[in-house]
């Protein structure tokens, strides 16, 4: 009984983690779509974003709303893709943090 409860709790935590990653991706894509400061092509922060993440964001934004939800639902079911997305988002956070500290980034 305790083992099943522990497994259920672990699955719940993993799902919450995936939801957080997808929310962060949605926030990034929305920033890009709404042309928020720092998300334009000339922005250092946007250029510091991994190319694959920039491409995913732009492809996501090109979709109609229903298709966007289908993409997110599909990602929720694929932990490997969510981990890749999480790595890209973390790489972006680190690069932007370095920009904020005034460190030079090589393109």
């Amino acid at each position: 009984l305790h083992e099943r409860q522990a497994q259920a709790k672990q699955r719940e935590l993993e799902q919450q983690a995936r939801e957080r990653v997808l929310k962060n991706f949605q926030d990034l894509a929305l920033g890009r779509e709404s042309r928020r400061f720092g998300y334009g092509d000339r922005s250092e922060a946007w250029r510091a974003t991994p190319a694959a993440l920039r491409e995913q964001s732009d492809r996501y934004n090109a979709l109609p709303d229903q298709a966007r939800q289908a993409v997110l639902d599909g990602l929720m079911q694929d932990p490997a893709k969510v981990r890749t997305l999480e790595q890209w988002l973390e790489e972006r956070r680190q690069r932007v943090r370095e920009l904020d500290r005034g460190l030079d980034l090589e393109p």
Side-chain angles (χ1 to χ4, degrees):
L1 178 66
H2 292 300
E3 186 175 321
R4 277 187 278 153
Q5 288 175 335
Q7 288 173 348
K9 182 67 172 169
Q10 182 64 30
R11 282 193 301 275
E12 182 181 331
L13 292 173
E14 289 170 1
Q15 179 167 339
Q16 289 172 355
R18 286 194 304 270
E19 289 172 354
R20 242 186 333 272
V21 170
L22 294 180
K23 175 76 171 104
N24 288 338
F25 172 72
Q26 280 183 293
D27 290 346
L28 176 91
L30 180 61
R32 175 76 170 158
E33 184 177 50
S34 64
R35 302 174 197 264
R36 214 179 309 153
F37 179 77
Y39 290 84
D41 290 335
R42 295 183 189 163
S43 164
E44 286 185 20
W46 186 249
R47 290 194 315 251
T49 303
L53 183 55
R54 290 192 310 253
E55 291 170 16
Q56 287 291 333
S57 173
D58 287 342
R59 272 191 255 143
Y60 176 82
N61 285 337
L63 297 172
D65 288 343
Q66 285 181 328
R68 288 180 185 187
Q69 189 57 52
V71 166
L72 295 175
D73 292 343
L75 283 171
M76 249 334 249
Q77 304 307 315
D78 192 336
K81 287 183 180 177
V82 174
R83 275 193 299 278
T84 299
L85 200 54
E86 183 177 31
Q87 290 169 350
W88 292 339
L89 289 164
E90 181 57 30
E91 184 178 341
R92 179 181 194 276
R93 271 191 292 277
Q94 289 174 359
R95 289 179 175 185
V96 169
R97 193 175 305 127
E98 289 171 1
L99 285 174
D100 288 343
R101 292 183 187 147
L103 301 176
D104 289 331
L105 287 179
E106 293 295 320

